[in-house]
Short mmCIF file of all heavy atoms in Angstrom, two decimals:
data_model
loop_
_atom_site.label_atom_id
_atom_site.label_comp_id
_atom_site.label_asym_id
_atom_site.label_seq_id
_atom_site.Cartn_x
_atom_site.Cartn_y
_atom_site.Cartn_z
N SER A 604 -7.28 26.79 -41.71
CA SER A 604 -8.34 27.46 -42.44
C SER A 604 -8.37 26.97 -43.89
O SER A 604 -9.42 26.69 -44.46
CB SER A 604 -8.14 28.96 -42.39
OG SER A 604 -9.14 29.62 -43.11
N LYS A 605 -7.16 26.87 -44.52
CA LYS A 605 -7.07 26.38 -45.91
C LYS A 605 -7.56 24.94 -46.00
O LYS A 605 -8.32 24.58 -46.90
CB LYS A 605 -5.63 26.49 -46.42
CG LYS A 605 -5.49 26.06 -47.88
CD LYS A 605 -4.07 26.16 -48.35
CE LYS A 605 -3.86 25.78 -49.78
NZ LYS A 605 -4.42 24.57 -50.27
N ALA A 606 -7.15 24.10 -45.05
CA ALA A 606 -7.59 22.70 -45.04
C ALA A 606 -9.10 22.63 -44.86
O ALA A 606 -9.77 21.82 -45.50
CB ALA A 606 -6.87 21.92 -43.94
N GLY A 607 -9.64 23.50 -44.00
CA GLY A 607 -11.09 23.54 -43.80
C GLY A 607 -11.81 23.95 -45.07
O GLY A 607 -12.83 23.36 -45.45
N ASN A 608 -11.27 24.97 -45.76
CA ASN A 608 -11.88 25.43 -47.02
C ASN A 608 -11.80 24.35 -48.09
O ASN A 608 -12.76 24.12 -48.84
CB ASN A 608 -11.21 26.71 -47.51
CG ASN A 608 -11.56 27.91 -46.65
OD1 ASN A 608 -12.55 27.90 -45.93
ND2 ASN A 608 -10.72 28.95 -46.69
N ASP A 609 -10.63 23.69 -48.18
CA ASP A 609 -10.47 22.59 -49.15
C ASP A 609 -11.45 21.46 -48.86
O ASP A 609 -12.07 20.91 -49.75
CB ASP A 609 -9.03 22.07 -49.14
CG ASP A 609 -8.04 23.06 -49.73
OD1 ASP A 609 -8.49 24.05 -50.35
OD2 ASP A 609 -6.81 22.83 -49.56
N SER A 610 -11.57 21.13 -47.58
CA SER A 610 -12.49 20.05 -47.19
C SER A 610 -13.93 20.43 -47.51
O SER A 610 -14.72 19.61 -47.98
CB SER A 610 -12.36 19.74 -45.70
OG SER A 610 -11.09 19.19 -45.42
N ALA A 611 -14.28 21.71 -47.25
CA ALA A 611 -15.64 22.17 -47.54
C ALA A 611 -15.90 22.12 -49.04
O ALA A 611 -16.99 21.73 -49.47
CB ALA A 611 -15.83 23.59 -47.01
N ALA A 612 -14.90 22.50 -49.85
CA ALA A 612 -15.06 22.45 -51.31
C ALA A 612 -15.23 21.01 -51.77
O ALA A 612 -16.09 20.71 -52.63
CB ALA A 612 -13.86 23.10 -51.99
N LEU A 613 -14.41 20.10 -51.24
CA LEU A 613 -14.54 18.68 -51.60
C LEU A 613 -15.90 18.13 -51.18
O LEU A 613 -16.55 17.40 -51.93
CB LEU A 613 -13.43 17.86 -50.94
CG LEU A 613 -12.04 17.97 -51.58
CD1 LEU A 613 -11.01 17.23 -50.72
CD2 LEU A 613 -12.06 17.39 -52.98
N LEU A 614 -16.34 18.51 -49.97
CA LEU A 614 -17.64 18.05 -49.48
C LEU A 614 -18.75 18.57 -50.38
O LEU A 614 -19.68 17.85 -50.74
CB LEU A 614 -17.86 18.50 -48.03
CG LEU A 614 -19.20 18.13 -47.42
CD1 LEU A 614 -19.39 16.62 -47.39
CD2 LEU A 614 -19.32 18.70 -46.01
N SER A 615 -18.64 19.83 -50.77
CA SER A 615 -19.64 20.44 -51.65
C SER A 615 -19.68 19.73 -53.00
O SER A 615 -20.76 19.45 -53.55
CB SER A 615 -19.29 21.91 -51.84
OG SER A 615 -20.40 22.65 -52.19
N ALA A 616 -18.50 19.40 -53.54
CA ALA A 616 -18.43 18.69 -54.82
C ALA A 616 -19.05 17.30 -54.70
O ALA A 616 -19.78 16.84 -55.59
CB ALA A 616 -16.99 18.60 -55.29
N GLN A 617 -18.76 16.62 -53.59
CA GLN A 617 -19.31 15.28 -53.37
C GLN A 617 -20.83 15.34 -53.22
O GLN A 617 -21.54 14.49 -53.74
CB GLN A 617 -18.67 14.61 -52.14
CG GLN A 617 -17.24 14.17 -52.35
CD GLN A 617 -17.10 13.19 -53.51
OE1 GLN A 617 -17.93 12.32 -53.72
NE2 GLN A 617 -16.04 13.35 -54.29
N ILE A 618 -21.32 16.37 -52.53
CA ILE A 618 -22.77 16.53 -52.37
C ILE A 618 -23.41 16.77 -53.73
O ILE A 618 -24.46 16.21 -54.05
CB ILE A 618 -23.08 17.67 -51.37
CG1 ILE A 618 -22.72 17.22 -49.95
CG2 ILE A 618 -24.55 18.08 -51.44
CD1 ILE A 618 -22.80 18.32 -48.91
#
Side-chain angles (χ1 to χ4, degrees):
S604 179
K605 182 180 181 312
N608 289 339
D609 290 348
S610 293
L613 284 173
L614 178 61
S615 204
Q617 288 302 321
I618 289 172

